[in-house]
Amino acid sequence: MSYALLIDAGNTRIKWALAAPGAALGDWHAQGAHLHADAADFPAALDAAARGMPIGRVLAANVAGPAVKDMLAGWLAAPQLGIDAQGVEWFASVAQRAGVRNAYRNPAQLGCDRFAAAIGAHALAPGKAIVVANCGTATTIDAITADGTFLGGMILPGLGLMATSLARNTAQLPQIKPGKLPEGFADNTDDAILTGCLAAQAGAIERAFALHRAAECIISGGAAPYVAPAVPVPHRHVDNIVMIGLHAALRCA
C-alpha cells in the first residue's frame, strides 16, 4: 500500500496532499501549503507527513514556470522520500481525461490548473452543468457541461491583484486587505475599494453562471472565503479544487 502525492504549484503557493488508497475525493491523509519564499520547507513537511509509508505515485500541476518545476523535481528525487522517478507525472491539459473533454481551440494551451479544476468539478457534480471559479492570484471562471465538456471560460485579476493595482496606480488610494463585504454603499475609501473588487469578482461569476445556464457553481482558491459570500447564485465553497481534480485524474488512470 502506498500514498498518492498531489501537487498544485500556483503563482503564489505550492500546495500538496497525500491520499491513501481508496480515499474519497478531498479526503487527505495530510496536506500542506508553502509560499514560494518558504518552499524549501516542503520536503521535510512531506517526509514527516508520510511517516515511513511509501509514496507510489505523484501527479503535479505546475503553472509557476520551469524554475519551480525543476525545483520540485529535485526535491521529489530526494533519497529520503523514496519516490520512483517513473511514478512522477507532470499533469498537462490534453483533449480528454477523467471523463472531461477539453473543447479549448488548442487543448494544450489551456492552463493545467484550469483543466484539473474542471475535472474536479465534474467529479463532484456529475451530470450537472457547472461553473467552477478558482479565486487565486488570478480568478478563473470556467464552464463544464453536464456530460463533461469543458467549454472555456474567463480569466480576470484576482481579488488581491485588483486591490493592489488600485493602490499602485493611483495617488491617494490605499492598499487594503480582503475582508467582509460591507453592506450597501461604502461610506469610506477602504470599504469602497473592497466593495468594488468583490462586486467585480462576484459579477463575473454571476454572468458566467447565467451564460452557461448552470445548475451549480463551485468556488475555490485562497480568496474564496471572501468572494463566495458575495456571489448571488447557487454555489458551494470547495477547498483545493485543483488537487481534487488531480486525485480524480489519478483514480481514472
Side-chain angles (χ1 to χ4, degrees), residues 1-252:
M1 187 168 69
S2 60
Y3 289 128
L5 171 61
L6 312 166
I7 300 174
D8 171 21
N11 292 302
T12 303
R13 297 185 298 163
I14 296 171
K15 293 154 287 213
W16 58 271
L18 286 173
L25 294 177
D27 182 12
W28 316 126
H29 168 76
Q31 63 181 316
H34 308 276
L35 294 171
H36 284 202
D38 303 320
D41 297 335
F42 167 71
L46 179 59
D47 188 37
R51 296 188 182 94
M53 187 171 174
I55 297 171
R57 299 184 67 186
V58 179
L59 187 56
N62 171 48
V63 296
V68 170
K69 180 179 178 180
D70 290 345
M71 177 180 67
L72 286 171
W75 287 339
L76 293 172
Q80 68 268 27
L81 295 179
I83 300 173
D84 186 340
Q86 298 300 314
V88 178
E89 178 188 353
W90 295 96
F91 183 78
S93 294
V94 293
Q96 187 161 339
R97 184 162 184 174
V100 174
R101 185 178 73 85
N102 183 352
Y104 228 46
R105 186 179 303 173
N106 176 2
Q109 188 186 43
L110 175 65
C112 65
D113 56 341
R114 292 172 66 196
F115 190 46
I119 290 173
H122 184 63
L124 292 178
K128 289 185 178 181
I130 293 290
V131 164
V132 56
N134 203 13
C135 304
T137 305
T139 293
T140 60
I141 307 166
D142 294 310
I144 305 96
T145 65
D147 65 357
T149 298
F150 174 93
L151 297 178
M154 309 172 181
I155 302 174
L156 60 152
L159 184 61
L161 273 181
M162 281 188 171
T164 298
S165 177
L166 282 171
R168 287 182 177 175
N169 294 290
T170 55
Q172 299 184 39
L173 293 182
Q175 176 69 62
I176 60 109
K177 294 182 179 180
K180 183 180 178 182
L181 179 66
E183 294 183 7
F185 291 103
D187 61 2
N188 63 86
T189 301
D190 283 7
D191 280 356
I193 294 171
L194 180 58
T195 300
C197 292
L198 283 171
Q201 301 284 315
I205 293 170
E206 183 181 14
R207 175 170 171 76
F209 191 91
L211 184 65
H212 188 39
R213 298 181 180 177
E216 187 179 2
C217 175
I218 291 175
I219 304 177
S220 192
Y226 308 108
V227 175
V231 174
V233 299
H235 65 273
R236 56 173 153 157
H237 177 194
V238 176
D239 286 331
N240 298 320
I241 190 64
V242 172
M243 285 198 294
I244 288 174
L246 295 175
H247 194 188
L250 266 188
R251 292 186 2 172
C252 292

